Amino acid sequence: MITRIEPINEQSLRYAKEIILSGGVVAMPTETVYGLGGSAFNDEAVKKIFEIKGRPNDNPLIAHVHPEYDITEIIDYDPPYAADLRKAFLPGPLTLVYPSTGKVSPRVSCGLNTLAVRVPSHKGAQAFLRAVNIPVVAPSANLSRHVSPTSARHVYDDFNGKIPLILDGGECTGGIESTVADVTGEYPVILRPGLITREMIESVCGRCDVYAPELKPGDRAKSPGMMYKHYSPRCITYLFDENGGEAARQTARREAAQGRRVYFLCERSVAKALCAEGENVLDLGTSETEMAANLFALLRKAETVADVLIAIEPKKKDGVMAGVLNRLRKACASKDIPH
Ligand code: AMP
Ligand code: MG
């Protein structure tokens, strides 16, 4: 199969619609990462997405809709605070998990009795979703466990020959996947941190809990099956906390002595110091949104330039950094964490 990368215009959208309505799969940009899209109503399309990605069949998908789509077509229970969240943050990088009504393919939620729905703010994504005018499930367009894609080129690198079309909407500005919040209870619960932070949700709803079993540098999974090793660059990885600079340098010296190409991944202030010492660095940047936008592209770059990636955690841990650290820790998780 030839994989075409096309800018988003009338012609490519017509082709994309034809593919989706006939049960095929199209990669599309969003403001967070690129997604591998298929009709949420089509069982075969959903099955194909799992197969192409090599995705474990207990990892549910998010249904994407355009801003004018009537979500009562796919959900019915909608607490008032969920409407407040939609008003405050949608379209945007926030996924809400509702009780499911069984309207979409049962494969979408992998046996859960809930359905995750998101309205992206990316103009190209919206044009595509309006063209097809049905909910499109679109997990990140990477091979399972590989780093999420933030450009059409990243998608091509993973799926060349496997899908007919990649809609090219430029580089994603958000950089990490959407915040996922469960709205089936009395107040929202964050299941996956992202650019819409706990503090932002609390400012709208008064209360927001976080359910996110977290890995720390050096930790092992406490409960098998609770988490997947995700977002992994194809190189040896180490992760040190913000005080682990000396241990990181020692590791670098040890690895370099074995003849391996070593790169550090860290925030700008640390990157500058390491650079001055003659080390190779991948600079995450300074602000939290900049670090979110750069993370996945730098992890993908690491696998092309480095044999060993040594990441040092940025100092800030809350706000958007909760999402950045969640991805960084999973990317660098030790290999014996159960997938
Ligand atoms: P991806 O699109 O690759 O970022 O993966 C979608 C993620 O959304 C899943 O890994 C889950 O973390 C989350 N998700 C999707 N559907 C549900 C659901 N029904 N309940 C809870 N989390 C969900
Ligand atoms: Mg993913």
Side-chain angles (χ1 to χ4, degrees), residues 53 55 59-62 64 95 97 108-109 112 114-116 138-140 142 177 180 191-192 230-231:
K53 277 182 60 82
R55 186 175 177 99
N59 192 2
L61 307 182
I62 298 169
H64 294 65
T95 295
V97 174
V108 171
S109 297
L112 298 172
T114 50
L115 175 67
S140 53
N142 52 278
E177 300 87 344
V180 176
L191 305 178
R192 177 175 74 182
H230 259 163
Y231 319 116

Side-chain angles (χ1 to χ4, degrees), residues 130-154:
R130 282 195 191 96
V132 297
N133 201 28
I134 50 172
V136 169
V137 284
S140 53
N142 52 278
L143 287 165
S144 189
R145 297 185 195 137
H146 195 208
V147 179
S148 298
T150 55
S151 70
R153 182 72 220 184
H154 292 159

